[in-house]
Amino acid sequence: MNLAPLAEVTRGGQIESLHAGAVAVVDSGGKLLYYAGDADFPTFTRSTLKPFQALPFMRGGGVAHFGFGSREIALMCASHSGEPMHVDTVRAMLSCAGCDEHHLRCGCHVPIRYAAADQRPPAGEIFNQLHNNCSGKHAGFLAYCVQHGLPLDTYIDPGHPLQQAIRHDVARIAGLPESGLVSGIDGCSAPNYAMPLSRLALCYARLARGANDREYGCALGPLFDAMTGQPELVSGSGRADLAFMQAAPRDWVVKGGAEGVLAVGVRSAGLGIALKVADGNARALYPAAIAVLRQLALIDAVTPAPLEPWSQPTLRNLRGLVTGDVRATVRLVKA
Amino acid sequence: MNLAPLAEVTRGGQIESLHAGAVAVVDSGGKLLYYAGDADFPTFTRSTLKPFQALPFMRGGGVAHFGFGSREIALMCASHSGEPMHVDTVRAMLSCAGCDEHHLRCGCHVPIRYAAADQRPPAGEIFNQLHNNCSGKHAGFLAYCVQHGLPLDTYIDPGHPLQQAIRHDVARIAGLPESGLVSGIDGCSAPNYAMPLSRLALCYARLARGANDREYGCALGPLFDAMTGQPELVSGSGRADLAFMQAAPRDWVVKGGAEGVLAVGVRSAGLGIALKVADGNARALYPAAIAVLRQLALIDAVTPAPLEPWSQPTLRNLRGLVTGDVRATVRLVKA
């Protein structure tokens, strides 16, 4: 496996740990323009898949059927923090479909908002599946099933018509045969797919083209507009995806996924960018992504203010003493 | 940097993430016998340093002075879980020295016991510095200062006589000039040192020799006996270091450290073994260590029962569904 350096973690000015991985930069036709490491690294897409998991819903007229707006579309694409704005919107989406929290099959976890703020959850606070960062995606899944008269209780089974429709659309967007998608089960129990990293980049180049995509424009247009128009609903306070989308409003669509995946679509430049940290650690991801954006001349010498905390993050210990930092080491190569 | 494969993480039977790093296996004279990757990978020792940070205390007659036994010695070497047995012992150690929790400079964190049991801390539970996994080490630091009339409030400053004495002893055990130790600040705010991975292996080969070490035997003997005699005090319920020491009682001395470091001393074989996961992720560490022990014929075909959960851990998602596993890929090379 050909891995390229992405970032190093220092302590006392010396390297303590190293992160390697791969980067692919493509145009909206999927042509590889720049790369680092193996541009076709087989990459489980994890939460970067969410906008494309919403394609059957979008194409099936779900937005009009349920009277959803861009807030609800943003939530379907979200790895949200479980803040009230997220939880309330998901609850309302479920209600529109005649469902509630008990129909969800995503499982529970402590909302991301606490980790994002480096806080412990308040004493005695009870969480449910609405707080799961994927609950908006699952609410969209359930709404699709209600609209099309499909079984609700098996909506995440790989053989369910919804999941088959998603698999079909994901393969089309990625320009792959369905047999080219490797299947796994995601943290939220939904099917997830792996594809070559350059194909994930292509998916985001097409998402950034939005309404101008010849095949899926009528779905990708509203998805891009919703994600970039309400990035706080797709992510959450203090999180990197939000900061990246605030750095280039309505131009960069940015989505992270578990195990060190990040995908960026750049409307103005007609580019799709995907990064995979081979070891899965997200701490390398954002410094490396900023370095990549700079090498592509999408960021100039001055780092945009929202990205400043993510560029070369200072590491502090329990008493707040600086112990080191995370530094990008990635170098893009022209294809 | 020459890194070797250590482990891979799968999803749906396919590789999702990869971990690389280095391994060094030496005899008690420091001769390299086997390796993977760069045997001299510059490695911040982190918590694997703890037994050697106790050397000035041990050599200065601290055990007799304070009436400590093997429980207190074990705690000085511990990355403990903050269970009552740990916290109570540390509180008593501080009391013997006329100190209390307020003299500690290690900072607070949620006790490891909750992460080890995959639990949230009970609502409203308040934690203090006694719960810090390093509090036993710091209690030993303070006791040393009290015994020798040294300032208490600066006990973790690199220039403090205690820290100078530790640096001296660490360099001697590692067979390095003091200038060969790279300095950083640890998570608990104490000075920490980096050294070539093979030298960390040497430190553990010497620790395993214990009383038979020509230079430091009178300290290393009780340190080895305490760590291997009460491994539950050095680690905690459900944790890997404990499982490893239970797998070969009073023979293997095993200590993990942050950022993917593990060191093992094997008394019966006269070996020291050190592993560093280059990216710092501990999930690769224990499967790789078991593979290394097997390749050294220290484990036969049947994995000892305590190690079974650490050999090829199954990964499950929020609803308990199996998503994949962690598999060792390390291959030792004869030096």
Side-chain angles (χ1 to χ4, degrees):
Chain A
M1 202 79 78
N2 175 22
L3 302 178
L6 292 185
E8 59 194 28
V9 179
T10 70
R11 182 172 300 272
Q14 304 291 316
I15 296 170
E16 179 167 28
S17 296
L18 298 161
H19 298 284
V23 184
V25 182
V26 307
D27 67 19
S28 57
K31 186 184 164 201
L32 187 69
L33 303 176
Y34 299 91
Y35 67 95
D38 180 2
D40 289 330
F41 189 95
T43 305
F44 270 101
T45 50
R46 309 299 299 273
S47 286
T48 63
L49 194 66
K50 281 172 176 162
F52 313 106
Q53 288 173 304
L55 285 173
F57 179 88
M58 299 297 292
R59 298 175 69 214
V63 171
H65 183 86
F66 293 105
F68 283 179
S70 61
R71 290 178 63 83
E72 290 78 11
I73 298 173
L75 255 304
M76 287 194 285
C77 304
S79 299
H80 68 72
S81 284
E83 298 172 43
M85 62 180 167
H86 304 121
V87 173
D88 294 347
T89 305
V90 173
R91 190 185 290 107
M93 291 166 72
L94 288 168
S95 174
C96 286
C99 295
D100 62 26
E101 184 255 335
H102 302 290
H103 291 88
L104 293 171
R105 295 283 182 274
C106 50
C108 293
H109 64 76
V110 175
I112 295 176
R113 61 184 293 194
Y114 298 107
D118 200 17
Q119 288 174 350
R120 283 173 61 193
E125 190 94 359
I126 304 292
F127 305 111
N128 62 36
Q129 295 187 94
L130 293 172
H131 296 88
N132 182 307
N133 77 88
C134 305
S135 66
K137 178 179 79 175
H138 283 251
F141 287 173
L142 285 164
Y144 178 89
C145 295
V146 167
Q147 183 189 351
H148 298 279
L150 298 172
L152 296 185
D153 54 349
T154 55
Y155 75 92
I156 53 172
D157 290 358
H160 187 284
L162 166 62
Q163 298 303 333
Q164 293 286 315
I166 290 171
R167 187 181 170 89
H168 171 83
D169 283 345
V170 166
R172 296 287 301 177
I173 285 279
L176 292 168
E178 285 191 49
S179 62
L181 297 176
V182 173
S183 301
I185 302 172
D186 211 340
C188 69
S189 295
N192 193 256
Y193 301 107
M195 62 178 68
L197 190 64
S198 63
R199 296 303 176 127
L200 175 59
L202 170 60
C203 294
Y204 273 74
R206 294 182 69 174
L207 178 58
R209 271 177 74 84
N212 293 321
D213 186 86
R214 252 173 288 179
E215 189 179 8
Y216 282 97
C218 59
L220 295 176
L223 285 165
F224 177 90
D225 292 344
M227 291 177 75
T228 59
Q230 278 117 137
E232 71 283 0
L233 293 179
V234 181
S235 175
S237 307
R239 287 175 57 203
D241 288 1
L242 175 58
F244 275 70
M245 288 198 273
Q246 288 173 331
R250 297 180 192 271
D251 187 30
W252 297 355
V253 58
V254 181
K255 187 80 197 72
E259 290 291 326
V261 182
L262 188 74
V264 182
V266 181
R267 170 159 285 186
S268 58
L271 294 179
I273 304 165
L275 294 89
K276 164 73 181 179
V277 183
D279 61 72
N281 195 328
R283 70 180 171 182
L285 208 46
Y286 303 105
I290 291 169
V292 163
L293 291 166
R294 179 165 283 131
Q295 289 169 43
L296 293 170
L298 296 169
I299 295 177
D300 60 19
V302 181
T303 304
L307 297 185
E308 195 48 62
W310 304 96
S311 179
Q312 186 169 317
T314 297
L315 301 177
R316 294 175 183 274
N317 70 10
L318 294 170
R319 291 173 62 232
L321 302 175
V322 173
T323 57
D325 56 18
V326 185
R327 299 174 185 187
T329 53
V330 61
R331 289 284 168 270
L332 285 184
V333 178
K334 207 168 184 332
Chain B
M1 202 79 77
N2 176 21
L3 303 177
L6 293 185
E8 58 194 29
V9 179
T10 69
R11 181 172 299 272
Q14 304 291 317
I15 297 170
E16 179 167 28
S17 297
L18 298 160
H19 297 285
V23 184
V25 183
V26 306
D27 67 19
S28 58
K31 187 185 164 199
L32 187 69
L33 303 175
Y34 298 91
Y35 67 95
D38 180 2
D40 289 329
F41 188 94
T43 305
F44 269 100
T45 51
R46 309 300 299 272
S47 287
T48 64
L49 193 67
K50 282 172 176 162
F52 314 106
Q53 288 172 305
L55 285 172
F57 179 88
M58 299 297 292
R59 298 173 69 213
V63 171
H65 183 86
F66 292 105
F68 283 178
S70 61
R71 291 179 61 83
E72 290 77 13
I73 297 172
L75 256 304
M76 287 194 285
C77 304
S79 299
H80 67 73
S81 285
E83 298 172 44
M85 63 180 167
H86 303 120
V87 173
D88 294 347
T89 305
V90 174
R91 190 185 290 108
M93 290 166 72
L94 288 168
S95 174
C96 285
C99 295
D100 62 27
E101 184 256 336
H102 303 289
H103 291 89
L104 294 171
R105 296 283 182 275
C106 50
C108 294
H109 64 76
V110 175
I112 294 176
R113 60 184 294 192
Y114 299 107
D118 199 18
Q119 288 174 348
R120 283 173 61 193
E125 190 93 359
I126 303 293
F127 305 111
N128 63 36
Q129 295 187 94
L130 293 172
H131 296 88
N132 183 306
N133 77 89
C134 305
S135 66
K137 178 179 81 174
H138 283 251
F141 286 173
L142 285 164
Y144 179 90
C145 295
V146 168
Q147 182 190 350
H148 298 280
L150 298 172
L152 297 185
D153 53 349
T154 55
Y155 75 92
I156 52 171
D157 289 358
H160 187 284
L162 166 61
Q163 298 303 334
Q164 293 285 317
I166 290 172
R167 186 180 171 91
H168 171 84
D169 284 345
V170 166
R172 296 286 302 178
I173 285 279
L176 292 168
E178 286 191 48
S179 62
L181 297 176
V182 173
S183 302
I185 302 171
D186 210 341
C188 69
S189 295
N192 192 258
Y193 302 106
M195 61 179 69
L197 188 64
S198 63
R199 297 303 175 126
L200 175 58
L202 171 60
C203 293
Y204 273 73
R206 294 183 69 174
L207 178 58
R209 270 178 75 85
N212 293 321
D213 186 87
R214 252 174 286 179
E215 189 179 9
Y216 282 97
C218 59
L220 295 177
L223 285 166
F224 178 89
D225 292 345
M227 290 176 76
T228 59
Q230 279 117 135
E232 70 283 1
L233 293 179
V234 181
S235 176
S237 306
R239 286 175 56 202
D241 288 0
L242 175 59
F244 274 70
M245 289 198 274
Q246 288 172 332
R250 296 183 191 271
D251 187 29
W252 297 354
V253 58
V254 181
K255 186 81 199 69
E259 290 291 324
V261 183
L262 187 75
V264 182
V266 181
R267 171 158 285 187
S268 57
L271 294 178
I273 304 165
L275 293 88
K276 164 72 181 180
V277 183
D279 61 73
N281 195 327
R283 70 180 172 182
L285 207 45
Y286 303 105
I290 291 169
V292 163
L293 291 165
R294 180 165 282 130
Q295 289 169 43
L296 293 169
L298 296 168
I299 295 178
D300 60 19
V302 182
T303 303
L307 297 186
E308 196 47 64
W310 304 96
S311 180
Q312 187 171 316
T314 296
L315 302 178
R316 293 175 184 275
N317 71 9
L318 293 171
R319 292 173 62 231
L321 302 176
V322 173
T323 57
D325 56 16
V326 185
R327 300 173 185 187
T329 53
V330 62
R331 289 284 168 269
L332 285 183
V333 178
K334 208 169 184 329

